[in-house]
Amino acid sequence: MLIDNSGQPIKLSGLQLNGVSAEAARNGDTVKVWTRLCLTSDDRLFHRVADGLNGHIEHVARRAGKAVNLKHAHTVLLVIHPDNTGDLWVDTAAVALRIMPKRDLVAGGIVFESDIADVTEMAFPLVPIGKEDRAVCIFREGWRFGLFFDFNPAGDFSVQDMQRDLGTMHRRLRYRDLYDALADTAIFSRLFDTGWFPFVEIIGPEFRLFADCSEAGFDLKDEEAQLISKFDSERLEHMFKRWMAKPHFAGKEPLLRSALRAFLAGEAVPVIKIVLTEIEGILADAYRAVHGKGAKVQILLDFAIASAEQKAGQPDTLLFPAAFAHYLKSQTFANFDPEAGVGKATSRHAVGHGAAVAESYTLVRALQALLTLDQLAFYT
């Protein structure tokens, strides 16, 4: 497949960009200077820095006889060379996102938002950036903006680090509502109390609807019924295929297949009984494959979260490993006292002891159990 930039860069010279003042100072004072920074338009400093960079770049462009209006651009990339000449790409550089997909993809195939499990990098694959170069990037995502600059005082520019940081900003801007929901204790607590989490399979519009209803204090009964109806045989088969690609899932194929059949038949009890009791075994198999021995539940949970962070490269990706650790400990593996004799079908321990009340075995809980298992397939 042939790809190319959609245009040529604007050639500039006399670019005096080496740092941004980190504090106010008078003439003759010593001042701190930022030489590398990532900001979004939600940051108070963003607009001051963006205006300053925009002013200098447009001034240099006018001096070169080039008219540019960066405020109306979607993606601006400026690569500055050691001699202070530069290449200004205004919506003309090819942009690539590195994602973690939910399903198998083929070259040239359409990628929908529902196919994206995570976004880890944003890159300009056809723009050369040398070790001694500097770079400025301002891009728009929805109604927000991201700003990155690296003025590279050490003369050792890292394209990989830039791609990672741009990916982080892109992810946080595009999915800001999800991050806000997780950061809002009231919203997150309501979702947790009803067993919901931004599971990879429903991340996007489906979970956003839950978060909006939770924020408004609405009951989720209608939304839950709507979501259950969307998990037909085709969607469940996609999930099952994802599970079977993992060695520690594959050995459970007959049991997990039986759980999916039960869900399609509207039978919540066997789904919950099978899935919640098999999760620990799947984690144990994954742990054993790495460490050559078994471990207790707490160690297995820590292992799963650490695996997710290592796989994604960062702890704050759309896999939300830290938040999921809290979910597992407070829901799936919630503490249970057998002597109390009462529990809910969200807890593996209550289900395993046969102490979950019958009314808690619902299709909603069954779907949450399947989504919890599916989340672990992305983690390990």
Side-chain angles (χ1 to χ4, degrees):
M1 182 182 301
L2 298 177
I3 61 171
D4 202 354
N5 298 314
S6 63
Q8 296 298 317
I10 299 171
K11 300 291 184 178
L12 302 177
S13 61
L15 290 160
Q16 303 295 326
L17 290 173
N18 295 284
V20 172
S21 174
E23 57 189 0
R26 295 187 179 278
N27 184 28
D29 289 347
T30 300
V31 63
K32 294 180 181 178
V33 174
W34 280 307
T35 58
R36 192 179 193 283
L37 197 63
C38 295
L39 294 169
T40 72
S41 50
D42 295 319
D43 297 314
R44 181 179 178 183
L45 186 64
F46 170 89
H47 302 281
R48 180 179 297 174
V49 175
D51 282 342
L53 291 172
N54 174 68
H56 180 68
I57 293 170
E58 290 192 353
H59 170 73
V60 172
R62 285 194 300 271
R63 193 173 61 197
K66 306 292 184 179
V68 297
N69 189 337
L70 303 187
K71 291 183 179 179
H72 291 171
H74 186 281
T75 305
V76 176
L77 174 65
L78 174 63
V79 179
I80 309 169
H81 308 302
D83 61 358
N84 290 333
T85 62
D87 301 318
L88 178 63
W89 303 82
V90 183
D91 291 331
T92 51
V95 181
L97 294 178
R98 181 176 293 277
I99 69 166
M100 179 187 295
K102 297 181 186 178
R103 62 177 177 88
D104 294 341
L105 301 176
V106 297
I110 300 296
V111 179
F112 300 97
E113 183 174 5
S114 58
D115 296 326
I116 299 175
D118 204 359
V119 179
T120 56
E121 292 182 7
M122 174 180 170
F124 301 93
L126 301 180
V127 175
I129 304 178
K131 277 289 186 181
E132 296 183 355
D133 288 343
R134 293 162 275 163
V136 177
C137 180
I138 303 175
F139 67 95
R140 177 174 182 161
E141 178 53 47
W143 297 105
R144 296 183 174 94
F145 292 85
L147 186 156
F148 165 90
F149 64 78
D150 185 349
F151 295 129
N152 191 23
D156 187 24
F157 193 92
S158 171
V159 173
Q160 184 176 359
D161 287 350
M162 180 184 78
Q163 292 175 173
R164 178 203 63 211
D165 291 345
L166 289 175
T168 297
M169 282 196 294
H170 180 279
R171 182 177 66 246
R172 284 194 160 271
L173 290 170
R174 187 174 185 83
Y175 298 96
R176 177 59 188 269
D177 54 339
L178 293 179
Y179 285 100
D180 286 348
L182 291 180
D184 189 309
T185 304
I187 296 175
F188 203 27
S189 294
R190 292 192 202 106
L191 290 169
F192 259 39
D193 289 345
T194 53
W196 290 110
F197 183 83
F199 299 108
V200 170
E201 179 60 28
I202 63 171
I203 203 168
E206 291 171 335
F207 183 77
R208 287 192 185 103
L209 180 60
F210 278 18
D212 290 344
C213 289
S214 178
E215 182 179 10
F218 295 159
D219 183 89
L220 297 177
K221 184 177 180 179
D222 291 341
E223 287 72 23
E224 289 173 337
Q226 183 181 358
L227 182 63
I228 288 172
S229 69
K230 293 180 179 179
F231 279 81
D232 55 14
S233 58
E234 182 180 359
R235 187 169 186 179
L236 291 173
E237 192 61 33
H238 279 303
M239 291 171 57
F240 187 74
K241 185 177 180 180
R242 186 157 61 226
W243 302 347
M244 292 304 103
K246 304 287 184 176
H248 43 288
F249 277 75
K252 309 288 185 180
E253 180 176 0
L255 291 167
L256 299 180
R257 174 64 76 185
S258 177
L260 295 186
R261 285 197 297 265
F263 183 84
L264 290 171
E267 299 174 3
V269 174
V271 178
I272 295 171
K273 286 283 189 179
I274 292 171
V275 174
L276 289 190
T277 54
E278 292 301 321
I279 282 179
E280 185 175 345
I282 289 171
L283 285 177
D285 288 347
Y287 183 89
R288 190 175 294 108
V290 174
H291 298 283
K293 60 181 180 179
K296 294 183 178 180
V297 171
Q298 184 57 56
I299 295 176
L300 295 178
L301 296 181
D302 293 340
F303 163 74
I305 303 310
S307 297
E309 293 182 2
Q310 183 178 9
K311 188 173 184 179
Q314 302 174 62
D316 67 339
T317 68
L318 295 179
L319 296 182
F320 298 116
F324 191 58
H326 176 54
Y327 180 87
L328 289 175
K329 294 171 184 177
S330 62
Q331 294 287 329
T332 312
F333 291 93
N335 290 330
F336 170 71
D337 182 4
E339 294 183 4
V342 178
K344 293 182 180 180
T346 53
S347 167
R348 177 253 182 270
H349 300 307
V351 169
H353 284 89
V357 294
E359 308 88 75
S360 65
Y361 284 91
T362 66
L363 277 180
V364 170
R365 299 302 188 196
L367 179 57
Q368 291 167 349
L370 290 172
L371 292 173
T372 300
L373 180 65
D374 186 61
Q375 190 84 2
L376 292 171
F378 287 95
Y379 277 39
T380 56

